[in-house]
Amino acid sequence: MVLDEPNESDEVFDVNHFQFIANKDFLAEAQPIKIDFTGFGFAISSSIELGQGCSSCGGTC
């Protein structure tokens, strides 16, 4: 998530006084997208498989 301004290739959603902007092409690929506020920040999930990341550093890439 980043701060951004909508443009013609975006879909805009107003939810509980928050405005969410998603690129229409990305949205078509990632649906359904779920965004929750956890008290510590936002948790985002979608249908896109992200894999496990790298394992060479031992961190959570």
Side-chain angles (χ1 to χ4, degrees):
M1 282 178 57
V2 298
L3 296 174
D4 198 1
E5 295 292 325
N7 61 49
E8 64 276 349
S9 65
D10 292 332
E11 185 78 31
V12 179
F13 303 92
D14 289 304
V15 180
N16 295 330
H17 307 289
F18 289 99
Q19 189 176 65
F20 295 92
I21 303 165
N23 177 276
K24 291 176 184 177
D25 293 334
F26 173 78
L27 189 60
E29 182 181 333
Q31 283 187 0
I33 296 174
K34 181 179 177 183
I35 302 172
D36 287 320
F37 183 71
T38 65
F40 297 102
F42 290 96
I44 304 170
S45 60
S46 75
S47 64
I48 295 176
E49 296 285 334
L50 296 178
Q52 299 299 316
C54 66
S55 61
S56 61
C57 65
T60 55
C61 299

